[in-house]
Amino acid sequence: MAYKYLVIVESPAKAKTIEKYLGKNYKVVASLGHIRDLPKSRMAIDTENNYEPEYISIRGKGPLIKELKKFAKKADKVYLAADPDREGEAIAWHLCHLLGLDIEDKNRVVFNEITKDAVKGAFKEPRSINMDLVDSQQARRVLDRLVGYTISPILWKKIKKGLSAGRVQSVALKLICDREEEINQFEPEEYWTIDGNFKKGTKKFKAAFYGVNGKKTKLSDSKDAQKIIKQMDGDEFEITKVVKKERKRNPSLPFTTSSMQQDAARKINFKTRKTMMIAQQLYEGISLGRGGAVGLITYMRTDSTRISDTAKNEVYEFIQKTYGDEYTNSKARVGKKAESSQDAHEAIRPSSVMRTPEEIQKYLSKDQYKLYNLIWSRFVASQMKPAVFDTMTVDLERNDVLFRANGQKMKFPGYQKVYIESTDSGKAEKDNVLPPLEEGEIATTVDIEPKQHFTQPPARFSEATLIKTLEENGVGRPSTYAPTLDTIQRRYYVKLAAKRFEPTELGTIVNGMIAEFFPQIVDVHFTAEMEKNLDQVEIGEEEWKNVIDQFYKPFKKTVEVAEEQMEKIQIKDEPAGFDCEVCGHPMVIKMGRYGKFYACSNFPECRNTKAIVKDIGVTCPTCNKGNVIERKSKKNRIFYGCDRYPDCEFISWNKPVGRNCPKCEHHLEEKKVAKGKQVICSNCDYKEELQK
């Protein structure tokens, strides 16, 4: 089919959606991401010649490049419509070089959402390639290459092959290792609380010990608690103070990339990489039946909470029509621009709020629906009235001992009609309604319960809290968080235990080496300052090669010292306690890329290896000969199987408990449920009560 204009985007899904909007004069094709990059086999940065990068066509993309050149020759004009960020700008620049296009020509088209109006509007105002954006991306690429390809070989030489270091990943690893050190060094302190159940008439309510003589008092041990109970000497308390207030709670702002990643982890249990993958699908376009493909959300890599006037007007009308005037908010708050924010794009929002999650659910996969619903709800809520609560604080006193009760009741749901925030624990705040209480009245104690507690160590990082910490410290940018977390797990520097990051032995060793010999690389403030300098390149206030030069000259000297002074670390093999069944030599426990495993000490003559498995002490319910062992899938998920596999093929995601069902005699299994664990039958509907 003849065409006048060629449009090049990154992905086939995006190409399909855009071609539908542009019509028959346009041919839209995909470059499938980058087509030119630095070679993987070597540094390819000329440090002696002003840090000039050496780009090559990506292996395997020769036929695609040839096809793009053929399409470009037939077109009157070529438009480059890669994503609206640094990476997209760099892809467009590389395409210009390969296709022989003029860098100064107005052939760059950008849009924040893939809708008919946005795409057509963008093609009316093409611009030339923004070299500041390209240089900023080049600077990051060159800097990461200098760090990774310089430190990694040293780690290979001094520790073991296959290790790597990176500008952002090394900081993330250090944060995890430092937190683990805090946990190991933590010494718990004892403290006590006194909870009271009180009664006023027939109404009961709870209050907690606050202090003595109106001052907050700490209870360090049992003696302190007993002293207070003795001082009370009775069960009648006077209500000395009742404070009633109205409290407003504003909605959260629309999603940025990092806040979306954090909320998706908390609310819908998505890993960061999965969140970004699903968001990309929603942005590039989903087929909505006869309506064809349409981009459902705005661009998903952003650090801005800004939204367009058009989107504000549309959501205002939607809220008014759906929920009523009392929920509309013509003065919805606007977030402050963060110091490190580039504010290049809008916040993440639905391309049209009129496409409610319920209406388009049938066209979406389960995961697409979950994320779209989260983005849609957060955006709508952000433009609604605050939630209003009636709060009540009550002081109860006897013999100078003060108990305090705090209550709240929702007066007006406001934005919470659509969206309720969750904390890092994933739990939303609940109402606690107190009965009508007045000053001067008497309340009596039903029971008083002193409780012993110990202070807890800081929690390990989850994906959400680690991203939040990196963002707060100005380390990395929205597009870097997903690959960073993925890399430190693939290198087996950290592992996820109960959805929390725990450093491995290998990760601790690598972090120690980098922290000792390359302190700047893992220094949060230094890395954040470097990010600011790179951002200055993006707005044209710094020359990218100067930024690299200021870093590399002192870094090179640090590398020379490290190569000379860093001692080789021997990760010693541990005796396994049994012999190799192949050759009879002792087996040892080795550290591998994916953790520890059994290997023959007679390597390389004998290459026998075995996975380290955990016997759960239950006989296999299928063959009654083997033992059930705990194994791990390729995705690191625990499952259970018979140790006689492949002779016995028993396998289960749930843990067998070693007992049979009283109803049908099939084996019982332990299953995780929302409130803990439950014993269920592997065959029928038999269940036992939750196990505490």
Side-chain angles (χ1 to χ4, degrees):
M1 189 172 73
Y3 57 89
K4 290 176 69 176
Y5 309 111
L6 177 68
V7 182
I8 304 176
V9 297
E10 299 101 320
S11 77
K14 189 175 173 182
K16 187 179 176 184
T17 309
I18 292 171
E19 192 166 69
K20 185 189 74 170
Y21 299 143
L22 294 177
K24 63 182 180 181
N25 286 330
Y26 291 82
K27 182 176 183 64
V28 187
V29 295
S31 68
L32 305 178
H34 277 279
I35 56 170
R36 205 167 69 133
D37 200 2
L38 299 168
K40 290 183 179 180
S41 57
R42 52 198 167 84
M43 174 89 77
I45 306 294
D46 192 345
T47 55
E48 303 299 319
N49 185 27
N50 215 12
Y51 308 101
E52 200 61 43
E54 181 194 327
Y55 294 111
I56 61 167
S57 298
I58 293 173
R59 182 179 290 179
K61 289 208 170 181
L64 175 63
I65 293 168
K66 194 175 178 181
E67 192 174 49
L68 290 175
K69 285 180 177 178
K70 185 179 77 175
F71 289 147
K73 277 183 183 178
K74 291 181 181 178
D76 294 347
K77 189 174 180 66
V78 178
Y79 289 103
L80 307 170
D83 285 346
D85 58 8
R86 285 187 301 264
E87 203 77 21
E89 208 70 19
I91 289 172
W93 179 68
H94 286 303
L95 281 165
C96 266
H97 278 275
L98 283 171
L99 301 180
L101 305 178
D102 184 358
I103 297 289
E104 301 296 324
D105 189 17
K106 291 190 175 182
N107 58 10
R108 178 79 171 110
V109 178
V110 292
F111 31 80
N112 193 45
E113 57 189 71
I114 303 178
T115 58
K116 190 172 186 177
D117 290 344
V119 170
K120 287 202 161 188
F123 274 85
K124 289 176 183 175
E125 297 180 5
R127 59 168 172 80
S128 56
I129 285 175
N130 184 332
M131 284 309 298
D132 290 334
L133 283 175
V134 174
D135 287 346
S136 178
Q137 194 272 346
Q138 280 200 101
R140 282 178 159 82
R141 194 81 181 90
V142 169
L143 185 62
D144 289 340
R145 181 60 69 110
L146 289 172
V147 172
Y149 277 57
T150 304
I151 300 180
S152 298
I154 298 175
L155 298 178
W156 281 47
K157 210 185 302 178
K158 304 292 184 179
I159 305 176
K160 71 188 292 288
K161 284 188 177 182
L163 302 183
S164 72
R167 192 167 53 90
V168 179
Q169 79 175 57
S170 296
V171 176
L173 175 60
K174 187 171 191 299
L175 287 170
I176 293 166
C177 289
D178 286 352
R179 178 59 58 87
E180 196 67 19
E181 184 65 21
E182 282 182 67
I183 293 168
N184 293 335
Q185 297 295 325
F186 182 80
E187 292 185 9
E189 289 183 17
E190 182 183 6
Y191 71 97
W192 285 65
T193 58
I194 304 175
D195 295 329
N197 284 309
F198 288 81
K199 184 168 70 173
K200 168 67 176 62
T202 58
K203 303 288 185 181
K204 292 181 180 179
F205 61 97
K206 296 178 184 293
F209 170 72
Y210 180 82
V212 178
N213 294 321
K215 292 182 180 179
K216 193 167 179 67
T217 306
K218 182 183 176 183
L219 304 177
S220 299
D221 51 34
S222 177
K223 288 181 182 178
D224 288 349
Q226 291 305 319
K227 183 181 176 183
I228 295 299
I229 292 170
K230 189 175 181 182
Q231 185 175 333
M232 285 161 43
D233 190 31
D235 58 5
E236 290 192 345
F237 277 67
E238 182 185 354
I239 297 171
T240 56
K241 191 176 180 182
V242 177
V243 178
K244 295 178 182 179
K245 289 182 180 178
E246 186 181 89
R247 180 166 63 91
K248 289 184 179 180
R249 182 177 297 160
N250 287 313
S252 296
L253 293 162
F255 280 137
T256 61
T257 302
S258 65
S259 61
M260 176 182 71
Q261 290 169 347
Q262 292 168 50
D263 235 33
R266 294 189 194 106
K267 283 178 171 284
I268 54 178
N269 201 25
F270 277 12
K271 286 195 167 188
T272 309
R273 179 168 285 279
K274 181 177 181 178
T275 299
M276 295 309 291
M277 181 185 72
I278 302 296
Q280 183 90 33
Q281 294 167 6
L282 296 174
Y283 166 70
E284 290 185 345
I286 303 291
S287 179
L288 303 181
R290 289 184 179 178
V294 63
L296 296 180
I297 64 170
T298 52
Y299 192 54
M300 65 286 160
R301 291 187 180 90
T302 178
D303 51 14
S304 174
T305 54
R306 173 176 57 82
I307 59 171
S308 69
D309 290 338
T310 305
K312 278 182 188 174
N313 294 336
E314 187 186 55
V315 73
Y316 184 89
E317 289 175 17
F318 176 84
I319 294 166
Q320 190 176 43
K321 184 180 176 182
T322 309
Y323 303 106
D325 286 335
E326 67 270 29
Y327 287 91
T328 58
N329 189 2
S330 58
K331 295 180 180 178
R333 73 191 183 107
V334 179
K336 291 180 182 178
K337 183 177 176 292
E339 190 181 336
S340 62
S341 169
Q342 294 303 288
D343 201 46
H345 313 296
E346 285 188 64
I348 302 167
R349 61 166 176 82
S351 54
S352 172
V353 76
M354 299 303 177
R355 292 188 199 96
T356 65
E358 292 74 24
E359 284 177 4
I360 64 171
Q361 185 175 4
K362 62 184 177 183
Y363 302 112
L364 305 178
S365 70
K366 192 176 176 183
D367 287 338
Q368 287 170 345
Y369 171 75
K370 283 180 181 178
L371 188 60
Y372 182 73
N373 184 51
L374 193 68
I375 293 167
W376 186 93
S377 302
R378 171 87 163 220
F379 171 64
V380 173
S382 74
Q383 303 303 301
M384 292 174 77
K385 283 274 179 70
V388 182
F389 297 86
D390 284 330
T391 65
M392 188 173 174
T393 303
V394 179
D395 286 355
L396 304 100
E397 289 189 57
R398 179 180 178 85
N399 296 340
D400 297 326
V401 174
L402 172 63
F403 275 68
R404 180 165 286 174
N406 292 300
Q408 77 166 20
K409 183 180 180 182
M410 183 179 281
K411 185 177 184 179
F412 172 66
Y415 73 91
Q416 292 198 359
K417 198 167 184 73
V418 176
Y419 177 90
I420 298 175
E421 290 93 343
S422 59
T423 61
D424 288 333
S425 67
K427 295 177 182 175
E429 194 175 339
K430 292 181 180 178
D431 276 359
N432 174 33
V433 182
L434 295 176
L437 299 169
E438 301 293 337
E439 291 180 10
E441 292 182 333
I442 301 296
T444 57
T445 57
V446 177
D447 59 67
I448 296 291
E449 185 181 7
K451 289 181 181 176
Q452 182 188 39
H453 306 272
F454 291 92
T455 54
Q456 296 297 308
R460 291 189 177 106
F461 288 109
S462 63
E463 285 204 356
T465 55
L466 183 59
I467 288 170
K468 187 178 180 182
T469 304
L470 289 168
E471 185 185 36
E472 286 173 349
N473 284 287
V475 176
R477 287 296 177 260
S479 59
T480 63
Y481 297 136
T484 295
L485 301 192
D486 188 55
T487 300
I488 58 176
Q489 290 176 80
R490 279 192 295 104
R491 298 290 180 192
Y492 199 66
Y493 293 164
V494 300
K495 60 183 179 182
L496 276 174
K499 297 182 183 177
R500 299 274 170 171
F501 285 117
E502 193 178 323
T504 62
E505 184 183 341
L506 182 61
T508 305
I509 291 169
V510 170
N511 175 66
M513 288 293 230
I514 296 175
E516 182 180 351
F517 290 97
F518 304 97
Q520 283 186 316
I521 297 300
V522 291
D523 182 80
V524 169
H525 302 296
F526 176 82
T527 307
E529 196 60 38
M530 179 58 70
E531 290 286 2
K532 286 181 185 176
N533 293 337
L534 293 168
D535 289 341
Q536 292 298 103
V537 174
E538 188 163 326
I539 56 176
E541 293 188 5
E542 277 279 8
E543 210 283 316
W544 77 268
K545 291 179 180 179
N546 290 340
V547 172
I548 299 297
D549 193 53
Q550 289 166 20
F551 164 80
Y552 185 69
K553 281 180 178 173
F555 175 68
K556 187 179 178 183
K557 292 177 182 175
T558 307
V559 171
E560 289 167 0
V561 172
E563 285 185 317
E564 188 180 321
Q565 296 183 5
M566 189 185 285
E567 292 182 10
K568 187 173 175 65
I569 288 186
Q570 185 69 42
I571 301 177
K572 293 181 180 178
D573 298 336
E574 304 170 41
F578 60 93
D579 293 335
C580 173
E581 66 267 30
V582 176
C583 71
H585 282 77
M587 293 288 279
V588 292
I589 299 172
K590 283 186 173 288
M591 170 71 77
R593 185 175 175 183
Y594 301 105
K596 293 183 176 181
F597 64 96
Y598 294 126
C600 181
S601 58
N602 192 28
F603 179 86
E605 282 73 23
C606 177
R607 294 177 177 268
N608 182 29
T609 61
K610 292 177 75 173
I612 295 177
V613 293
K614 180 181 173 185
D615 190 330
I616 66 168
V618 171
T619 302
C620 174
T622 299
C623 68
N624 291 314
K625 294 177 183 177
N627 293 323
V628 177
I629 55 175
E630 184 179 294
R631 295 180 179 272
K632 281 192 178 179
S633 69
K634 288 181 181 178
K635 292 187 177 180
N636 214 31
R637 185 179 170 189
I638 291 174
F639 69 96
Y640 302 90
C642 181
D643 64 1
R644 293 180 64 246
Y645 178 86
D647 295 330
C648 174
E649 295 186 353
F650 169 76
I651 190 171
S652 175
W653 291 113
N654 298 322
K655 184 179 179 180
V657 297
R659 293 187 287 119
N660 290 338
C661 173
K663 283 177 68 176
C664 71
E665 290 297 315
H666 279 74
H667 73 275
L668 296 174
E669 298 179 332
E670 190 179 87
K671 182 181 180 181
K672 287 183 180 179
V673 290
K675 295 181 180 178
K677 292 176 182 175
Q678 196 175 46
V679 173
I680 61 166
C681 179
S682 58
N683 178 58
C684 71
D685 60 358
Y686 175 78
K687 292 179 183 176
E688 292 184 4
E689 288 185 9
L690 289 170
Q691 306 296 305
K692 293 184 180 179

